[in-house]
Amino acid sequence: MSESTTRTAVRPTASGWLQAWLPRLVLAPSIAVSLFFVYGFMLWTFVLSLTSSRMLPSYDFVGFGQYSRLMANERWWVASTNLMLFGTLFIVICLVIGVLLAMLLDQKIRQEGALRTIYLYPMALSFIVTGVVWKWLLNPQLGIQAMVQGWGFESFRFDWIVDSDMAIYTLVIAAVWQASGFVMALFLAGLRGVDDSIVKAAQLDGASLPRIYWRVVMPCLRPVVFSAVMILAHIAIKSFDLVVALTGGGPGYATDLPATFMYTHAFNRAQIGLGSASAMLMLGGVLAILIPYLYSELRSRKHG
Amino acid sequence: MAALEIHNVRKEFGNERVLKDVSISIDSGEFLILVGPSGCGKSTLMNAIAGLEPVTSGNIYIDGEDVTWRTPAERDIAMVFQSYALYPSMTVRQNISFGLEMRKVPKAERVAAVERVADLLQIFPLLERKPAQLSGGQRQRVAMGRALAREPKVYLFDEPLSNLDAKLRVDMRTEIKKLHQRLGTTIVYVTHDQVEAMTLADCIAVMRDGHILQLGSPDEVYNNPVDMFVAGFMGSPSMNFIRATLEAAGDGYALRIATPDEDNVLLPWPSERNAAGLVEQLNKPIILGLRPEHFSEEDVRLSEQAEGTLMEAKVSVVEPTGADILLRLPLGEQEITARVGPKCAIAPGERLSLRVDMARAVLFDAETEKRLA
């Protein structure tokens, strides 16, 4: 039996060759394209970050000079601090709201499908749309402040978007509005995966509903929390369109994030070298999150 | 006083009636088994007793107290689930003591309870493990341990053995029986396995379509089934239902089984078992119920003393099970199963004289399927 299979493998036929190579041929273009445009450009960005490129790429190498310029740049530090603040608040609030919504939706309520879709819908919008809508809502002359003042509460103030200390929180509001429904969907799927009889057993054991969730159900959802944090962290680091649409990085550069910093310097302010250096640091940030995640994923798959 | 009393319980999901006026009462320390095919409402009844599903009407009493509208936690019951339902993030020790912790039992007592249960079920070496690190049988033990830790008034077992392999199932069955004998607890046990029902129960409730068809001891249910469903459900291989005609024979009756190509088989009905309703069935089709063990092979040496009626039939299939041999014999348009001793040397195609124990035979109405005699 094995003899006959080796014999057919030794004698190549045209159709056999095609069968063996067709998958590779079909996949080759997309692999080549992604190699070139993703990894090739990553490499090019790294090369540029080592040069003194300004308006146009040049290959006048200055070592890590651009990185030290970046470290000395106050605006970069504002952007980085903003990312920390924005990222932390965004992830934490999204998780809390998502978990709560998922638990409430899991109570065998009527019209759950419709409600689920409503909560999930913001995720279907682009961040640009979210940004524009919230820009209007938060605009003191047009939005919430104007409306409440129109009701007669003249002293009501909600002008965070024009306050350089508070503007970063408007980003958090809009981003949470957009992503918490998605987190809810993740957790709802996780909750549905929890064996129903575990909850029944806990009920019989005399645990109250909050306790059942906290002590019994949530520990089962640890992998979901992990995935949610991963996904939200990526969204936070990559946040660019939301900032552009909502605040434009302003007032001043109070709501700059690394992504907008990079764009501004590389394409608006003719500082390609500095922009590339900041892009590489962002890549480092993403990898710092991604590598442990991939490592644990692959390890658990090997074990499981 | 009854430990558990279920009084006219009904349960409806929309227009579908899942439980139709179910009433059961068991004494303290009794082992009640709810048995029936899937969809018969036995699990729904179990959930109603546990309080996991509200009933539409009727009352449930535990220890004389009306618990119909109490939450599961207030009913003082413990349950072993089919899927075991162990808390995956907790160790075995935490699993067992969780119920006590939720009931604010002091720590020292909790530790003592875990020790007691671990000792009872021999799960000491497992206490620090997580459920994922246990085998099916071990999980089963832990699930029982969790129920036993609290000493509630009633234990509920929802098909606890159905996820175990055959050998382990038999072992655990014995173990549950031993535990019950030792602890004298009141147990309600749901299963679709009639062997489990026969071996474990003090009292069996056979259910179908939301009704309790028969409630009685295993012996009663097995030997005195109320209708063809109960008779067919209990026992394996199941009872033979043979179409026959009731005829008058002398003072009493006889059953004629039509066999087209040969002489009809005529089995006299024992006169001491005559029932009032039989007269109306005279010369009408009737169903004769005979369990496989009601047949035995004719032994020439014993034929003088042996009781019962002789019957001859051709063997079509021989199925040795080790302990005995199952024979399939075509009889008229149907096929019957007979259980004979392991020494019976018979080959397919041969004719065999079988002794029929008519004293244990049962008769059913061919239309209503109810028991006649």
Side-chain angles (χ1 to χ4, degrees):
Chain A
M1 156 89 187
S2 65
E3 209 174 293
S4 71
T5 49
T6 44
R7 202 174 299 153
T8 49
V10 166
R11 194 188 327 130
T13 59
S15 73
W17 184 87
L18 194 65
Q19 201 168 7
W21 279 88
L22 193 62
R24 286 172 233 192
L25 283 175
V26 172
L27 283 176
S30 58
I31 289 175
V33 164
S34 63
L35 268 181
F36 181 71
F37 283 101
V38 178
Y39 299 99
F41 277 46
M42 239 181 234
L43 202 67
W44 195 27
T45 308
F46 177 63
V47 171
L48 287 179
S49 75
L50 301 176
T51 67
S52 63
S53 308
R54 294 183 66 87
M55 184 80 157
L56 290 167
S58 75
Y59 295 96
D60 167 24
F61 286 95
V62 293
F64 287 93
Q66 298 287 16
Y67 291 89
S68 33
R69 269 184 70 204
L70 194 62
M71 289 301 123
N73 188 321
E74 198 244 331
R75 187 167 172 181
W76 169 254
W77 286 111
V78 170
S80 304
T81 323
N82 276 346
L83 178 62
M84 286 297 158
L85 192 64
F86 168 73
T88 314
L89 285 175
F90 169 64
I91 293 172
V92 170
I93 298 176
C94 268
L95 282 179
V96 170
I97 293 182
V99 168
L100 282 177
L101 282 177
M103 284 176 181
L104 293 175
L105 269 187
D106 195 36
Q107 304 305 311
K108 297 199 175 81
I109 55 169
R110 224 173 290 173
Q111 289 303 321
E112 187 213 302
L115 286 170
R116 206 171 49 204
T117 315
I118 290 171
Y119 287 125
L120 192 55
Y121 213 78
M123 199 64 190
L125 299 179
S126 96
F127 265 119
I128 293 287
V129 178
T130 308
V132 171
V133 169
W134 279 97
K135 185 158 105 183
W136 291 335
L137 283 174
L138 294 168
N139 184 317
Q141 273 80 52
L142 289 173
I144 299 169
Q145 178 178 317
M147 182 178 72
V148 177
Q149 284 181 353
W151 289 343
F153 302 97
E154 296 291 345
S155 59
F156 179 82
R157 283 172 66 80
F158 186 53
D159 54 359
W160 289 4
I161 200 164
V162 293
D163 180 337
S164 53
D165 288 332
M166 301 303 281
I168 187 70
Y169 300 108
T170 64
L171 286 179
V172 175
I173 294 173
V176 164
W177 178 82
Q178 166 126 357
S180 51
F182 173 67
V183 178
M184 173 211 73
L186 279 181
F187 275 96
L188 198 57
L191 285 175
R192 291 291 143 83
V194 174
D195 182 2
D196 217 24
S197 51
I198 291 179
V199 178
K200 288 184 183 174
Q203 262 176 300
L204 284 162
D205 268 342
S208 60
L209 200 60
R211 270 175 173 241
I212 291 176
Y213 274 109
W214 186 245
R215 291 282 307 272
V216 178
V217 178
M218 281 311 287
C220 301
L221 296 184
R222 212 173 297 158
V224 181
V225 175
F226 197 60
S227 317
V229 169
M230 284 300 132
I231 293 167
L232 293 175
H234 285 174
I235 294 179
I237 293 177
K238 291 189 299 193
S239 279
F240 171 78
D241 33 10
L242 181 68
V243 182
V244 169
L246 186 64
T247 62
Y253 51 82
T255 56
D256 243 2
L257 290 183
T260 54
F261 176 93
M262 185 278 293
Y263 183 82
T264 313
H265 284 79
F267 303 110
N268 291 349
R269 301 181 56 160
Q271 299 275 355
I272 287 185
L274 193 66
S276 303
S278 66
M280 289 320 291
L281 287 188
M282 278 170 63
L283 179 67
V286 173
L287 289 181
I289 296 172
L290 196 67
I291 287 173
Y293 174 67
L294 285 180
Y295 180 72
S296 73
E297 279 284 291
L298 293 176
R299 199 186 50 173
S300 68
R301 198 160 311 152
K302 213 179 286 170
H303 282 259
Chain B
M1 185 168 52
L4 173 69
E5 195 181 336
I6 298 162
H7 193 68
N8 289 338
V9 162
R10 287 185 193 196
K11 171 76 189 174
E12 285 158 20
F13 290 114
N15 285 330
E16 200 188 344
R17 297 174 66 191
V18 186
L19 293 177
K20 303 161 187 166
D21 278 322
V22 172
S23 296
I24 300 177
S25 171
I26 56 167
D27 287 329
S28 179
E30 266 196 311
F31 200 131
L32 168 72
I33 288 203
L34 304 174
V35 69
S38 31
C40 69
K42 57 190 191 299
S43 289
T44 311
L45 181 57
M46 173 77 91
N47 282 337
I49 298 171
L52 296 167
E53 271 175 37
V55 298
T56 308
S57 70
N59 293 82
I60 297 168
Y61 303 88
I62 293 176
D63 243 4
E65 285 175 63
D66 189 343
V67 298
T68 316
W69 300 109
R70 289 197 194 163
T71 63
E74 293 165 345
R75 292 186 184 207
D76 201 8
I77 44 177
M79 188 158 169
V80 178
F81 290 84
Q82 183 174 6
S83 60
Y84 314 136
L86 299 176
Y87 310 127
S89 58
M90 301 185 198
T91 62
V92 168
R93 181 187 294 280
Q94 290 166 327
N95 260 287
I96 294 173
S97 63
F98 184 73
L100 299 170
E101 192 190 328
M102 289 298 116
R103 279 158 211 273
K104 303 195 173 57
V105 174
K107 185 136 200 262
E109 276 179 52
R110 291 201 316 248
V111 172
V114 173
E115 307 270 297
R116 174 177 61 81
V117 167
D119 189 42
L120 195 65
L121 295 169
Q122 291 149 14
I123 49 174
F124 259 115
L126 310 178
L127 283 179
E128 305 310 325
R129 293 203 208 162
K130 292 271 178 76
Q133 298 164 302
L134 303 178
S135 71
Q138 291 170 332
R139 282 179 210 185
Q140 168 62 42
R141 268 167 205 276
V142 175
M144 281 183 19
R146 189 171 62 180
L148 291 169
R150 236 177 49 221
E151 303 188 326
K153 294 199 185 93
V154 179
Y155 292 88
L156 306 177
F157 286 72
D158 188 6
E159 307 207 16
L161 306 183
S162 56
N163 288 344
L164 299 179
D165 63 62
K167 183 171 182 319
L168 207 50
R169 195 178 309 163
V170 175
D171 292 347
M172 285 309 288
R173 200 170 71 201
T174 316
E175 203 147 325
I176 291 175
K177 182 137 190 164
K178 274 188 201 154
L179 268 177
H180 177 244
Q181 283 168 353
R182 212 154 110 201
L183 303 173
T185 48
T186 311
I187 297 179
V188 180
Y189 186 112
V190 164
T191 182
H192 60 258
D193 181 348
Q194 48 89 21
V195 182
E196 264 172 46
M198 288 296 295
T199 49
L200 289 173
D202 292 321
C203 184
I204 295 181
V206 185
M207 294 185 69
R208 183 168 74 156
D209 296 338
H211 285 291
I212 291 190
L213 296 177
Q214 187 167 9
L215 183 66
S217 69
D219 179 62
E220 258 169 35
V221 172
Y222 190 77
N223 292 316
N224 270 317
V226 294
D227 64 8
M228 277 174 67
F229 178 80
V230 175
F233 192 79
M234 304 305 290
S236 170
S238 58
M239 185 183 264
N240 297 297
F241 295 119
I242 305 163
R243 268 182 294 275
T245 318
L246 191 69
E247 292 181 352
D251 300 342
Y253 304 100
L255 292 144
R256 181 175 296 280
I257 303 165
T259 48
D261 49 334
E262 321 154 40
D263 296 337
N264 291 346
V265 176
L266 197 68
L267 297 170
W269 182 249
S271 55
E272 67 274 14
R273 296 198 53 205
N274 282 351
L278 284 182
V279 181
E280 295 160 28
Q281 303 294 327
L282 210 54
N283 298 321
K284 283 190 194 161
I286 201 165
I287 304 286
L288 168 66
L290 281 169
R291 292 201 179 275
E293 66 268 27
H294 296 167
F295 297 94
S296 51
E297 76 271 33
E298 167 70 349
D299 191 327
V300 189
R301 286 164 298 168
L302 298 174
S303 60
E304 300 300 314
Q305 313 103 313
E307 290 190 9
T309 319
L310 274 178
M311 188 188 98
E312 227 189 41
K314 202 165 93 178
V315 177
S316 67
V317 182
V318 178
E319 296 174 342
T321 65
D324 41 29
I325 298 176
L326 297 176
L327 302 176
R328 308 257 178 204
L329 311 115
L331 187 69
E333 65 228 55
Q334 51 221 325
E335 192 175 59
I336 58 169
T337 308
R339 191 197 293 269
V340 297
K343 295 267 168 16
C344 180
I346 185 102
E350 287 179 7
R351 291 189 73 81
L352 178 71
S353 274
L354 284 172
R355 198 163 275 285
V356 186
D357 187 358
M358 288 301 283
R360 290 157 75 193
V362 286
L363 293 178
F364 298 102
D365 188 310
E367 273 162 38
T368 63
E369 304 199 341
K370 293 278 177 237
R371 176 81 178 276
L372 290 169

